[in-house]
Amino acid sequence: MTSMDFLLLVRGPLLVLAIAIFTLGFGIRLVEMLALGQKRNYAEPRGSAVLGGFKTVYRRFAPDPGTWERAPFDVVIGTLWHVGFIAALFLFIPHVELIRKTFGIAWPALPNPLIDAITVITLVALVAALVQRLRNPVKRFLSTPEDYLVWVLTFLPVLTGYLAYHRLINPYPLVLGLHILSVEMFLIVAPFTKLTHMVTAFIARWYNGAIFGRKGVQS
C-alpha cells in the first residue's frame, strides 16, 4: 500500500465508519440518559428551570474560587489545552473549509500562524498535564488505563496535525493520513470513554441548573 492508497483509505471508508460509530455511540448514550426519566415535581416552581439550566451551563465555564485556590495549575493547564484543542479543530482554515464542503456551513477562521502557535501551546499544556498526573501521588493512584488512553487519543490529533502542517514527515500523504486516522480513533472511542464528557457535561450542567432554577436558587 502506498502513502496515497493509505490516505484514500482513511479519507474514504474509514472516515465514514468512524463518523457512523461516533454518531451511533453518542445517540445511544443520549437515549440512555433520557430513558432514566425524571420524577414529577409537584412543588410549585419558584423560578425558571430553563433559564436556570442555561445560566449554570454558562457559569460552570469559570472555575469556582475553591477550585482555583486548591489547584491553580490544573485550572490553567486544563483551560489552555481545552481552548487550544477547540480552536485548532474549529478555527483552522482547512478544517473550516472541510466543514463547509461537508455540511454547507462555515464561519471565519483564524490565521494559520496564530493556529500554529495555539497548537504548540496545546501540545505543551497536554504534556504538562500528563507530567503532573504522573508526578502527583494522588492523581497517579486514581488514574486508570482509560485516563492515559484518553490522553493519547487527545494528544495524537494535535501532534499529527502539527506535523502535517509543517510537513515534517514525508511523503505528505502519509502524515496527512496519520492525522486523519488519529482523528478517526478519537471519534470511534469518544462515545465509550471519559471523552463522552464533551457532550454529557453540558447536559449534566443544564440538568442541575434546571433543578435549582425551578427552586429559585442559584446553582
Side-chain angles (χ1 to χ4, degrees):
M1 176 184 288
T2 66
S3 59
M4 185 55 71
D5 292 334
F6 172 65
L7 178 59
L8 292 174
L9 176 64
V10 296
R11 290 181 62 178
L14 287 185
L15 181 59
V16 173
L17 177 64
I19 293 176
I21 294 176
F22 178 84
T23 304
L24 182 62
F26 267 111
I28 293 174
R29 287 282 185 175
L30 292 176
V31 169
E32 287 178 342
M33 296 177 70
L34 294 175
L36 291 175
Q38 184 178 354
K39 291 183 179 179
R40 187 176 181 82
N41 191 337
Y42 294 98
E44 184 178 349
R46 297 179 179 177
S48 170
V50 175
L51 187 59
F54 283 115
K55 281 184 177 179
T56 299
V57 170
Y58 171 74
R59 286 175 178 148
R60 294 289 175 88
F61 281 109
D64 63 86
T67 302
W68 173 252
E69 293 175 2
R70 289 193 303 272
F73 178 87
D74 293 336
V75 172
V76 173
I77 292 299
T79 301
L80 282 177
W81 81 256
H82 274 89
V83 172
F85 189 92
I86 293 171
L89 177 61
F90 291 110
L91 298 178
F92 184 41
I93 293 175
H95 293 171
V96 174
E97 185 63 16
L98 176 63
I99 293 171
R100 186 189 66 79
K101 289 182 178 178
T102 305
F103 301 103
I105 57 174
W107 46 80
L110 294 177
N112 285 344
L114 179 57
I115 289 294
D116 188 37
I118 291 174
T119 301
V120 173
I121 294 172
T122 304
L123 288 170
V124 172
L126 279 166
V127 171
L130 177 63
V131 172
Q132 169 73 353
R133 180 180 292 276
L134 293 172
R135 294 187 60 183
N136 186 295
V138 176
K139 282 188 176 181
R140 190 171 63 249
F141 176 77
L142 295 175
S143 296
T144 65
E146 182 181 333
D147 292 309
Y148 297 106
L149 173 64
V150 167
W151 183 90
V152 170
L153 293 175
T154 306
F155 184 77
L156 283 180
V158 186
L159 175 63
T160 54
Y162 180 83
L163 296 175
Y165 175 71
H166 290 280
R167 297 177 182 251
L168 296 177
I169 294 179
N170 288 315
Y172 178 70
L174 174 60
V175 66
L176 180 59
L178 290 174
H179 176 55
I180 297 173
L181 180 61
S182 68
V183 174
E184 291 167 353
M185 292 166 57
F186 181 95
L187 292 175
I188 291 173
V189 175
F192 312 105
T193 64
K194 293 179 179 178
L195 290 171
T196 53
H197 79 277
M198 72 175 74
V199 173
T200 58
F202 294 98
I203 299 175
R205 290 176 182 181
W206 189 91
Y207 180 78
N208 289 330
I211 292 176
F212 285 102
R214 194 175 192 280
K215 293 179 179 179
V217 298
Q218 182 173 310
S219 174

